[in-house]
Amino acid sequence: MQEDVETLLNEVKEHYDHPLEVDISGEASGVLTHDQSHQQLKKDGTLVVAVTDTTNVDYTLSHELLHLLFQMKGYPQLQFHLLSGDPQVDDQLYATSTSLYNAAVHMLVVAWQRDHNLLTDAAVAQVLAGFKQNVPAEADDQLVIYRVLSLLDLLGFLNGELPAELANAYPQALPLARELYDLLDAQKLDSPFGLRRAVVHLLARFDTVIERLGYQPTNDAEFATLTPVLSHRQLRLTLDQVFMIKHSGYRDRETKEPAYVAMGRSDEQNAFVLPLPEKETTPEAFQQLYQQSLNDILTQYRLDYTIR
């Protein structure tokens, strides 16, 4: 294990309250893809970071550890608390919004890997080989959204510079992916607030892109929860001053009841979902709810958030 990766592992362990183990197994396929590592939580609280392909362990392990580290440092997390009523649609929405969120986070991951000399010529070749293996060249429109999302992630990895061979293979998807990449590249991602703002913009722009392709927008501004990043001042304000509670057309994933979604007044993005029982949804109850401090609401419902 490279020294910088070992240092990263120790830093992650310092931020985690339970034991953290690394499990490295599998053969070397010769390609790098995002499905070659995962996390597994044991019943005793031990977190296992598993690498299942040994093509480039330092690259793959550092990638997974950095996802963990950003989470532990309070970078906003993508969560799913709502149901549309159609499980297949839900799965599609989960997948697309996760890909968009990860594309933003991966730009932070890649920046660290680049600074620590992990993006060698060999690593780049392995990533490109994995991409070609998983993303077929354009022959029809059926996979256009998948290609756009995959190319967005690859553009982030390559700092926006694709080999000519790849650029020529995706004449429809690449301009759309580049539009999304340019939006991300113009943002300052290296803080929890900056990442959240960038992802909010990215989710919105993605909807405009797929609408141009003739698809229904995802409505991820409401459907996908992006945990809030708040100032001390905002925490002292009333709930009503920072968020609007929307009686959503979606249902709460846990209760299966109509959902109440906190939409940011400044960015109109779902920041959390309140599991309100029916007796707390009267006009009088809402008036009282709105006048509580935001800090009290977050504490009462044990909601995830980060302080700027």
Side-chain angles (χ1 to χ4, degrees):
M1 186 184 301
Q2 182 179 312
E3 184 177 347
D4 287 347
V5 179
E6 189 167 357
T7 301
L8 173 63
L9 173 60
N10 290 332
E11 184 179 1
V12 172
K13 285 181 176 180
E14 288 174 6
H15 282 82
Y16 193 62
D17 294 335
H18 297 280
L20 188 149
E21 300 173 355
V22 172
D23 179 33
I24 298 171
S25 63
E27 298 180 359
S29 66
V31 305
L32 289 174
T33 59
H34 291 319
D35 60 359
Q36 293 173 347
S37 61
H38 63 271
Q39 302 163 27
Q40 179 183 356
L41 187 63
K42 293 184 176 180
K43 290 182 179 180
D44 65 358
T46 299
L47 183 64
V48 179
V49 178
V51 174
T52 57
D53 185 302
T54 52
T55 295
N56 190 328
V57 172
D58 283 332
Y59 171 90
T60 303
L61 178 59
S62 64
H63 181 106
E64 196 69 35
L65 290 173
L66 286 163
H67 272 281
L68 272 172
L69 185 63
F70 291 131
Q71 180 179 348
M72 292 170 176
K73 287 190 171 182
Y75 279 73
Q77 299 301 302
L78 186 69
Q79 300 175 348
F80 301 108
H81 298 292
L82 303 177
L83 297 170
S84 70
D86 184 332
Q88 186 175 1
V89 170
D90 291 345
D91 288 344
Q92 291 172 347
L93 293 174
Y94 299 156
T96 54
S97 54
T98 299
S99 292
L100 291 163
Y101 171 82
N102 281 340
V105 175
H106 288 166
M107 291 181 73
L108 295 172
V109 170
V110 168
W112 187 97
Q113 291 176 319
R114 185 177 293 112
D115 288 345
H116 293 82
N117 302 312
L118 291 175
L119 298 190
T120 61
D121 290 345
V124 171
Q126 290 157 354
V127 168
L128 289 174
F131 182 89
K132 293 174 185 176
Q133 177 178 289
N134 288 336
V135 187
E138 288 179 8
D140 55 57
D141 292 342
Q142 292 184 353
L143 294 176
V144 62
I145 292 178
Y146 172 68
R147 291 189 182 99
V148 168
L149 293 170
S150 300
L151 284 164
L152 168 62
D153 196 61
L154 185 65
L155 285 166
F157 175 79
L158 295 173
N159 260 351
E161 299 295 329
L162 284 191
E165 173 197 355
L166 279 181
N168 294 333
Y170 307 100
Q172 180 189 23
L174 181 57
L176 303 175
R178 191 170 291 284
E179 178 181 340
L180 298 174
Y181 168 76
D182 288 344
L183 181 149
L184 268 186
D185 191 45
Q187 307 285 321
K188 292 184 177 179
L189 305 176
D190 57 351
S191 70
F193 180 78
L195 178 70
R196 190 179 192 279
R197 180 174 53 191
V199 174
V200 169
H201 290 322
L202 184 62
L203 294 175
R205 180 66 64 85
F206 179 72
D207 270 359
T208 67
V209 165
I210 63 173
E211 280 190 285
R212 296 204 304 266
L213 291 169
Y215 293 94
Q216 289 291 322
T218 66
N219 193 30
D220 274 332
E222 180 180 348
F223 187 78
T225 297
L226 197 58
T227 56
V229 181
L230 303 161
S231 67
H232 286 286
R233 174 183 169 276
Q234 286 175 309
L235 290 172
R236 293 192 296 269
L237 297 175
T238 62
L239 173 65
D240 183 53
Q241 289 175 293
V242 186
F243 295 104
M244 178 187 72
I245 303 302
K246 181 174 183 178
H247 187 180
S248 177
Y250 300 117
R251 291 195 172 267
D252 188 297
R253 193 173 177 180
E254 295 300 320
T255 67
K256 307 300 188 290
E257 297 297 324
Y260 294 89
V261 181
M263 305 290 290
R265 290 197 178 276
S266 61
D267 62 14
E268 299 182 340
Q269 175 66 47
N270 172 344
F272 52 86
V273 176
L274 288 177
L276 299 177
E278 188 174 350
K279 65 181 180 180
E280 294 180 18
T281 61
T282 64
E284 296 77 16
F286 264 110
Q287 188 173 11
Q288 185 177 6
L289 182 76
Y290 269 132
Q291 295 312 308
Q292 291 186 56
S293 77
L294 178 56
N295 186 67
D296 287 348
I297 294 291
L298 295 170
T299 302
Q300 178 182 345
Y301 291 100
R302 299 180 179 179
L303 299 166
D304 295 326
Y305 69 97
T306 297
I307 297 177
R308 290 177 64 176

